[in-house]
Amino acid sequence: MMMRMGEMGAQLGSVIASVMFVCTIFRQYLPLQLRYYVDKYSHKLVKLFYPYIQITFDENTDEFRRRSEVYSAIQSYLSTKSSTIVRRLKAHDAKDSKSLVLAMDDNEEVTDEFQGIKVWWVLVKRVPQQTSFSFYPQSDEKKHYKLTFHRHHRDVVTGAYLEHVIKAGKAITVGNRQRKLNVNNPSQNWYTYRGTMWSHVVFEHPATFETLALHPKKKEEIVNDLIKFSKGKEYYAKIGKAWKRGYLLYGPPGTGKSTMIAAMSNLMNYDVYDLELTTVKDNTELRKLLIDTPSKSIIVIEDIDCSLDLTGQRKKKKEKDEEDNEEKDPVKKKMEKEESQPSKVTLSGLLNFIDGIWSACGGERLIVFTTNYVDKLDPALIRRGRMDKHIELSYCCYEAFKVLARNYLDLESHELFETIERLLGETNMTPADVAENLMPNSVTEDADSCLKNLIEAIETAKKEARRKAEEEEASRKAEEEAKLKAEKEEEEKEQSAKDEVKCNGTSAKEEDVK
Ligand SMILES: Nc1ncnc2c1ncn2[C@@H]1O[C@H](COP(=O)(O)OP(=O)(O)OP(=O)(O)O)[C@@H](O)[C@H]1O
Ligand SMILES: [Mg+2]
């Protein structure tokens, strides 16, 4: 009985609406005095027999039939309720969703309760009568959710309840969302047919902070920092700061900078926007790209020292074969010319990108720069406040090795661990190299053999490092000796020049005396 309450309410509503309609038609034939009484009592009648209020939420918001965000949020919210109550469900793979969405079927009803108040939701589908022939008969189909509730609860339902539904629905959509890795397109493609500033692929990198080889203390500090940031909406609003945070990841190649970005994305459930600065023509384009990134995204600029010459101009320049170019067709030639032109993205443009007032639009965002050479960067770019957190990713320590041993070999301890600890303390080896050695070469290779391979690799690296150090020392000594020799020769030359002058002076005097 209660299950179809919304529908009953709707039917009762339509009966009363029909009575009202008849009254309105006859009303015009009545004398003025009588009209007053008809209006008064018809409204009382409606109030008496129909104590419910109905709100409808249309699927499409505009003439382009774009889906309403509110409708989608209601759909997600109701999918959790309806999948256990409703008998007829519809399964569909929603756009950007990583799993099937189970939603109530057309004309099904769901009862919901909030602060002891009962409300009823119905999904209504309307197919307008076809008056003309169409190849796409389904395109005119219109859907909406109808919410019915008692008028006594008007304030609670239109206020707190709807806010709760939309918030919970959006959270479910975000949790179910498929994450994306976006890369920026060259600007000549932005305005072509279906051209967009960013192209994306599904992001399914398996790296997490659990699998990341890093000292546990450092890891915990970074994870806490990220979680604090994601919960910091009110805090950032209170201190009057845009809700964004900059991270600078630096360290030698193969120490896990890119892996950490993937782990950040997996932890925060943010999309990654990998910004390739070498294809951005100028600061205006940079700004447009940034404005096009949504909330909950990580904007990444990898190898920042290589992307931008910090005096203002691009380092990377294409060498062109002019003869070959002359034979190419003019459109291709123009595109290549545009591509090869040095970019006008400047350091100040990049600083504006981080600090600018428009960088706050669209909510929470992380900006991550990576570099192998932190000393090469302009201090202005990485000062605190711009890059809030500087994280050094360095060579593999024993704690980091233990994470890799757990990931790759399911080992918590082993008799060879002590040797490895000692060797890692004496040699610089990147986590990438350690990981490579821990990977079995064949299906039959066991953990013992992998650890022995690693020990051998570290010992070889140690010998190599010693040999290099000796070579460097020898070349330094040779350079010093050469320098000393050159200085000595210079001194001797000077001395002989002086002696010659002296000698010439004396013989001239002797001649004068004569
Ligand atoms: N700290 C780490 N934890 C787990 N795996 C790691 C770590 N560092 C490196 N690796 C492994 O090594 C590979 C290369 O690492 P990654 O690409 O993250 O290095 P990088 O610091 O970004 O190097 P580059 O400076 O060359 O970009 C990864 O695929 C990963 O398997
Ligand atoms: Mg990298």
Side-chain angles (χ1 to χ4, degrees):
M1 160 72 183
M2 287 305 276
M3 276 299 288
R4 305 304 302 176
M5 188 59 201
E7 206 174 90
M8 264 176 57
Q11 278 169 5
L12 187 58
S14 46
V15 170
I16 291 172
S18 314
V19 173
M20 289 287 288
F21 180 67
V22 174
C23 286
T24 322
I25 291 185
F26 281 105
R27 182 180 174 276
Q28 57 189 310
Y29 301 110
L30 296 173
L32 267 177
Q33 298 93 323
L34 268 181
R35 276 190 206 176
Y36 169 75
Y37 289 105
V38 168
D39 288 348
K40 188 176 165 188
Y41 289 106
S42 61
H43 279 113
K44 276 198 168 173
L45 187 79
V46 171
K47 274 194 172 178
L48 188 69
F49 287 105
Y50 194 71
Y52 297 101
I53 293 177
Q54 292 186 333
I55 306 177
T56 56
F57 301 88
D58 287 328
E59 181 176 16
N60 305 117
T61 45
D62 52 27
E63 69 271 25
F64 302 111
R65 300 184 69 87
R66 270 188 289 233
R67 203 160 212 243
S68 145
E69 263 188 42
V70 172
Y71 181 94
S72 301
I74 294 171
Q75 187 180 49
S76 299
Y77 175 78
L78 292 178
S79 68
T80 57
K81 309 260 160 194
S82 51
S83 55
T84 49
I85 309 166
V86 170
R87 284 210 210 144
R88 283 187 306 124
L89 291 160
K90 236 184 199 170
H92 57 100
D93 48 344
K95 188 171 166 263
D96 298 340
S97 176
K98 59 188 171 196
S99 58
L100 272 183
V101 175
L102 288 178
M104 57 207 263
D105 204 352
D106 307 334
N107 301 318
E108 279 288 346
E109 186 181 276
V110 168
T111 310
D112 192 19
E113 211 170 309
F114 181 74
Q115 296 178 2
I117 300 168
K118 268 208 166 92
V119 299
W120 299 271
W121 288 96
V122 191
L123 176 62
V124 184
K125 183 168 91 175
R126 281 223 181 99
V127 186
Q129 295 287 320
Q130 293 287 319
T131 50
S132 58
F133 173 76
S134 165
F135 281 111
Y136 311 104
Q138 289 300 308
S139 63
D140 281 341
E141 176 184 296
K142 284 184 178 154
K143 279 186 183 178
H144 64 254
Y145 280 106
K146 189 177 273 182
L147 171 66
T148 307
F149 53 92
H150 199 283
R151 63 168 180 254
H152 282 162
H153 310 303
R154 185 192 193 112
D155 288 348
V156 180
V157 174
T158 55
Y161 175 66
L162 281 181
E163 204 176 292
H164 156 77
V165 169
I166 289 160
K167 201 172 163 192
K170 280 189 178 169
I172 294 165
T173 313
V174 168
N176 213 15
R177 196 173 55 115
Q178 213 163 31
R179 241 161 322 105
K180 287 181 263 173
L181 168 64
N182 301 270
V183 286
N184 52 313
N185 295 326
S187 56
Q188 59 261 36
N189 300 351
W190 289 3
Y191 306 108
T192 53
Y193 177 65
R194 289 193 177 197
T196 51
M197 294 188 205
W198 298 92
S199 297
H200 70 260
V201 289
V202 173
F203 184 73
E204 285 177 328
H205 201 297
T208 62
F209 275 96
E210 279 91 64
T211 63
L212 193 70
L214 200 64
H215 197 286
K217 265 194 183 162
K218 204 167 182 178
K219 207 187 278 190
E220 196 187 339
E221 188 196 318
I222 300 166
V223 170
N224 287 345
D225 190 79
L226 286 166
I227 291 172
K228 195 171 147 205
F229 170 78
S230 71
K231 291 181 180 164
K233 190 175 182 181
E234 277 84 28
Y235 173 72
Y236 277 83
K238 190 177 136 231
I239 60 169
K241 218 172 159 233
W243 193 13
K244 64 188 172 68
R245 195 152 175 81
Y247 288 82
L248 173 73
L249 310 184
Y250 65 95
T255 48
K257 296 179 291 298
S258 305
T259 313
M260 181 177 278
I261 295 169
M264 282 177 167
S265 162
N266 286 332
L267 176 77
M268 310 283 277
N269 210 1
Y270 285 6
D271 285 342
V272 177
Y273 283 77
D274 192 355
L275 184 58
E276 177 51 60
L277 272 189
T278 48
T279 57
V280 184
K281 288 231 161 57
D282 53 29
N283 295 337
T284 316
E285 268 190 32
L286 184 65
R287 198 175 311 159
K288 280 184 187 160
L289 281 164
L290 179 77
I291 290 174
D292 206 37
T293 59
S295 174
K296 294 186 185 292
S297 50
I298 306 181
I299 299 157
V300 179
I301 305 180
E302 289 253 34
D303 299 320
I304 180 82
D305 52 302
C306 305
S307 319
L308 197 75
D309 179 345
L310 297 175
T311 54
Q313 285 295 311
R314 185 65 41 89
K315 273 179 182 171
K316 198 177 154 186
K317 249 187 174 179
K318 258 191 176 179
E319 290 213 347
K320 288 179 70 179
D321 184 343
E322 294 204 344
E323 273 171 46
D324 181 37
N325 210 9
E326 271 167 22
E327 285 160 22
K328 283 179 182 159
D329 80 281
V331 180
K332 226 175 175 182
K333 232 166 119 179
K334 192 175 168 242
M335 274 172 69
E336 280 193 3
K337 199 178 163 198
E338 276 179 9
E339 259 178 42
S340 66
Q341 267 170 7
S343 157
K344 292 192 191 89
V345 175
T346 59
L347 174 63
S348 69
L350 195 61
L351 298 184
N352 272 339
F353 155 81
I354 307 165
D355 295 349
I357 194 92
W358 36 266
S359 73
C361 62
E364 62 205 278
R365 267 180 293 190
L366 296 178
I367 300 168
V368 184
F369 290 170
T370 74
T371 182
N372 294 140
Y373 309 98
V374 70
D375 305 333
K376 278 193 190 173
L377 299 181
D378 192 308
L381 184 64
I382 55 170
R383 73 150 166 79
R384 304 278 161 177
R386 286 204 176 106
M387 289 292 112
D388 303 278
K389 213 159 167 52
H390 297 189
I391 301 170
E392 183 181 8
L393 289 150
S394 192
Y395 295 106
C396 194
C397 62
Y398 177 59
E399 295 297 332
F401 156 76
K402 282 204 285 190
V403 178
L404 291 174
R406 199 180 312 134
N407 292 347
Y408 285 76
L409 305 172
D410 290 322
L411 279 183
E412 290 294 339
S413 61
H414 192 279
E415 56 191 20
L416 291 175
F417 274 20
E418 224 173 277
T419 319
I420 293 172
E421 183 178 10
R422 179 178 53 76
L423 284 171
L424 283 175
E426 295 165 357
T427 323
N428 283 343
M429 197 170 208
T430 63
D433 287 335
V434 173
E436 189 58 36
N437 282 292
L438 289 181
M439 249 206 279
N441 291 321
S442 66
V443 275
T444 50
E445 196 167 33
D446 60 1
D448 269 27
S449 161
C450 290
L451 290 177
K452 280 177 190 156
N453 288 347
L454 176 63
I455 291 175
E456 212 173 286
I458 307 177
E459 273 170 348
T460 314
K462 196 175 157 187
K463 273 184 207 153
E464 184 65 15
R466 197 180 300 151
R467 192 186 58 76
K468 259 192 183 169
E470 280 169 7
E471 262 180 26
E472 271 173 22
E473 181 62 23
S475 83
R476 195 184 56 78
K477 267 189 184 164
E479 248 175 54
E480 234 169 56
E481 272 170 19
K483 206 175 152 195
L484 279 176
K485 202 178 160 195
E487 277 173 9
K488 211 175 171 188
E489 276 174 10
E490 191 68 22
E491 263 176 32
E492 277 172 8
K493 257 188 198 170
E494 272 178 26
Q495 193 55 46
S496 65
K498 274 182 194 168
D499 290 349
E500 216 170 281
V501 170
K502 241 186 192 175
C503 213
N504 288 345
T506 334
S507 55
K509 269 183 191 170
E510 278 173 4
E511 289 239 326
D512 283 350
V513 172
K514 275 180 193 172

